[in-house]
Amino acid sequence: MENQLKSEVQQERPPRVVIFPLPAQGHVNSMLKLAELLSLAGINVTFLNTDHLHNLLLRHADVETQFAAYPGFEFKTISDGLPDDHSRSTDSVMEVLNSMNVTTKPVLKEMLVSGVLSNSVTCIIVDGAFTGFATDLAIELDIPIIHFRTVSACCIWNHFCVDRIIEAGGLPIRGKEDMDREITSVPGMECFLRCRDLPSFIQVSDLSDPKLDQIARTTNQSCRANGLILNTFEDLEGPILFHIRTLCPKTYAIGPLHAHLKLKLANNKTDSKRPVSSTSILFEVDTNCLNWLDSQPPKSVIYVSFGSITTLTRNALMEFWHGLVNSNKRFLWVLRPDMVAEDTEVPAELMAATRERGYMVGWAPQEEVLGHHAVGGFLTHSGWNSTLESIVAGVPMICWPYFADQPINSRYVGEVWKLGIDMKDVCDRKIVEKMINDLMVERREEFERSTVEMARLATESVSLGGSSYRNFDQLVDYIRQTGR
Ligand code: UDX
């Protein structure tokens, strides 16, 4: 009797979930939003960051204040196995991941079996873009594991369909002239998918490309996990979620995460002193641009931002600049300190030509900018967080995708959701000028109707009774039962 009672008491541990993001800004930001949503729901959360990223977080984002309200929340750190002086620059993410594959797996196992995480962790949520060592470990230790993907469902589904595309002869891609060839082997995308719309890691010219193995490994791992969390909503990507659920039945579409968290914080009447969760752990946010926007007419400004990773050549920078100047529209342009590949000073005559109409900033408060009445359009690289933020704000987009999931996101914005124009990989001042005028003048009413409706559906999905609200409740119920 006593043993039975003891085992029952031991069984009833309060659920604690470890959240383990890919050590890259766009991934950590989304996972922090998920961590706070779960904390608001009363789930104990351990956020496991690399030492390097955690130091950046503490320096740039007021995360300790942000999470002080949740007694069950804690940060833990783990080494990525690289020397302290390693740059860990954006283009070395693969090097960081390879190092973690070798050094982090045994350390994580020790933490889970006998270390700081032992006896408390009842579930692991890992960034599905990892090559899977955490999934292997969780399965070995019989700990429920859920994958979280920071990209769109349409991108994930393309990753799941790589074998189908190859079997149907859709890959490899045979040169630039092949880019407009149709890809008809992806269920749900048969009528509009071209080679140039595929996620860039799939656009290979050689089937032995190691990127394909990496994709096969991560998608296989997601199918082996106990669940898949996606930052999207049923009204936006329902048809694709239907296909994904044939392989991952427990797929929780709980996005748009930023809107979901904002609504839950408002309903929770969380302490108003709580800082708005910073979107940057690398750049200082310059809020002066909001004062400049205050003095601009409604919907007169095009906001230009290419996310935290995209880099531009000098030539591309000048093509965009001339296109913006010649469009005669007001513009707010994020010129990240590390964005232009070569050392580039913008010519004085161009600066003069834009003084009264253009405002440049190193890093903007993007959600506030997109929500500002003066902003009427968004020239974006189609990163998934930016795309969702534009959808929630009801701002039409011109899409200039750079890499990763961005090509398929831009195709959906232009061809499927009709929320803007897909400029794709052209960078020409005449095209930039024309697309800005199409978006802001010629086709303004057409886009106003579609963007207002999708913004309504996005907000409805995260509200009480909405699809993302209900999916999130199901996720919390699943995590709670892992403690039993
Ligand atoms: C990366 C990948 O590039 C992207 O394709 C993938 O979907 C997510 O991971 P990133 O390139 O940074 O993301 O783009 P995005 O997903 O749009 O995230 C950028 C974030 O930075 C957004 O939340 C945006 O609000 C924020 N941001 C960007 C700012 O706060 N200020 C800025 O000036 C620019």
Side-chain angles (χ1 to χ4, degrees):
M1 180 59 177
E2 190 180 312
N3 283 343
Q4 186 195 348
L5 185 62
K6 185 167 172 253
S7 67
E8 277 167 12
V9 166
Q10 194 173 16
Q11 285 299 319
E12 284 296 323
R13 291 170 298 169
R16 173 169 288 279
V17 63
V18 168
I19 292 186
F20 189 17
L22 191 85
Q25 164 160 295
H27 295 248
V28 169
N29 281 343
S30 300
M31 292 287 240
L32 281 172
K33 292 184 172 68
L34 175 64
E36 187 159 11
L37 270 171
L38 290 172
S39 300
L40 275 169
I43 298 287
N44 296 326
V45 174
T46 297
F47 198 89
L48 184 61
N49 238 335
T50 59
D51 299 310
H52 171 74
L53 256 179
H54 191 63
N55 293 332
L56 280 179
L57 259 180
L58 294 182
R59 222 177 13 234
H60 284 285
D62 195 0
V63 286
E64 288 184 314
T65 311
Q66 181 182 344
F67 287 94
Y70 312 109
F73 180 90
E74 62 178 6
F75 279 111
K76 292 288 183 202
T77 62
I78 193 167
S79 165
D80 58 16
L82 293 169
D84 290 346
D85 62 354
H86 187 286
S87 73
R88 296 170 180 85
S89 60
T90 307
D91 51 17
S92 65
V93 169
M94 286 317 294
E95 191 182 343
V96 176
L97 292 182
N98 293 335
S99 167
M100 291 182 79
N101 254 332
V102 173
T103 61
T104 307
K105 181 172 180 179
V107 175
L108 180 60
K109 181 170 185 175
E110 190 278 330
M111 288 170 91
L112 289 166
V113 172
S114 56
V116 289
L117 300 179
S118 64
N119 281 331
S120 63
V121 174
T122 60
C123 179
I124 300 176
I125 296 179
V126 70
D127 195 312
F130 260 128
T131 43
F133 66 83
T135 306
D136 293 337
L137 254 185
I139 291 171
E140 179 190 332
L141 301 174
D142 194 21
I143 300 174
I145 183 150
I146 300 172
H147 276 203
F148 174 88
R149 296 307 299 265
T150 57
V151 295
S152 54
C154 53
C155 173
I156 293 295
W157 182 234
N158 270 205
H159 285 188
F160 278 26
C161 291
V162 167
D163 288 346
R164 286 174 193 248
I165 299 172
I166 293 171
E167 281 155 29
L171 288 174
I173 291 175
R174 301 167 187 82
K176 283 195 177 305
E177 64 288 347
D178 205 14
M179 291 299 270
D180 283 322
R181 173 167 54 84
E182 290 181 357
I183 300 282
T184 56
S185 48
V186 177
M189 301 186 190
E190 297 89 341
C191 310
F192 54 82
L193 189 63
R194 304 162 301 177
C195 290
R196 70 173 65 252
D197 304 315
L198 290 169
S200 67
F201 299 135
I202 299 179
Q203 293 184 20
V204 296
S205 55
D206 177 344
L207 295 185
S208 62
D209 189 312
K211 292 198 290 290
L212 292 186
D213 282 344
Q214 161 94 8
I215 285 171
R217 214 172 21 250
T218 51
T219 45
N220 174 272
Q221 295 280 1
S222 290
C223 294
R224 295 171 64 203
N226 300 85
L228 176 64
I229 300 170
L230 293 178
N231 180 14
T232 188
F233 57 105
E234 306 287 345
D235 282 314
L236 185 69
E237 295 196 277
I240 296 303
L241 289 165
F242 167 80
H243 290 294
I244 290 175
R245 285 176 173 129
T246 61
L247 298 174
C248 301
K250 284 188 177 296
T251 291
Y252 304 95
I254 62 171
L257 270 182
H258 71 290
H260 201 155
L261 177 58
K262 193 175 289 182
L263 207 57
K264 289 253 166 90
L265 285 171
N267 296 344
N268 188 54
K269 297 182 181 50
T270 300
D271 174 8
S272 56
K273 289 197 299 299
R274 176 198 174 286
V276 176
S277 50
S278 165
T279 57
S280 169
I281 49 182
L282 299 174
F283 312 109
E284 294 299 329
V285 178
D286 176 347
T287 56
N288 294 324
C289 60
L290 296 173
N291 303 328
W292 180 79
L293 284 174
D294 288 344
S295 58
Q296 308 308 321
K299 299 214 180 291
S300 65
V301 174
I302 182 143
Y303 171 58
V304 186
S305 167
F306 298 125
S308 63
I309 296 174
T310 302
T311 55
L312 295 182
T313 61
R314 174 182 169 76
N315 181 55
L317 176 88
M318 299 317 292
E319 289 304 309
F320 277 117
W321 201 289
H322 283 290
L324 285 164
V325 170
N326 299 342
S327 74
N328 282 317
K329 294 294 171 299
R330 293 166 168 84
F331 61 87
L332 167 59
W333 190 352
V334 178
L335 289 174
R336 265 190 2 252
D338 62 343
M339 188 167 86
V340 186
E342 306 113 70
D343 172 26
T344 292
E345 279 298 309
V346 179
E349 69 276 15
L350 274 174
M351 291 297 277
T354 59
R355 201 163 307 290
E356 78 289 354
R357 280 189 293 111
Y359 192 100
M360 274 59 75
V361 66
W363 191 256
Q366 180 159 304
E367 286 181 45
E368 290 84 350
V369 166
L370 288 169
H372 197 284
H373 63 78
V375 173
F378 183 14
L379 171 51
T380 174
H381 68 314
S382 291
W384 190 234
N385 296 295
S386 294
T387 302
L388 287 175
E389 288 156 11
S390 202
I391 286 173
V392 169
V395 176
M397 293 169 262
I398 298 171
C399 304
W400 184 71
Y402 178 68
F403 83 136
D405 58 327
Q406 298 155 25
I408 189 66
N409 296 345
S410 64
R411 185 61 168 166
Y412 264 76
V413 166
E415 189 65 24
V416 181
W417 302 324
K418 309 290 185 190
L419 298 172
I421 305 171
D422 183 7
M423 189 161 104
K424 242 346 166 265
D425 30 34
V426 175
C427 185
D428 170 275
R429 61 188 70 181
K430 286 288 180 207
I431 293 178
V432 170
E433 177 188 347
K434 178 181 184 319
M435 289 202 164
I436 290 172
N437 279 300
D438 282 353
L439 192 85
M440 307 277 281
V441 182
E442 307 305 327
R443 300 174 62 184
R444 176 188 189 134
E445 287 177 20
E446 168 196 341
F447 290 125
E448 190 136 312
R449 284 191 298 274
S450 56
T451 54
V452 164
E453 174 59 9
M454 193 57 84
R456 184 186 70 78
L457 292 170
T459 302
E460 187 179 86
S461 75
V462 297
S463 304
L464 182 63
S467 61
S468 293
Y469 191 103
R470 284 182 278 109
N471 291 341
F472 182 72
D473 281 352
Q474 287 172 17
L475 171 66
V476 169
D477 289 346
Y478 173 79
I479 292 172
R480 283 211 175 100
Q481 62 85 28
T482 61
R484 293 187 192 116

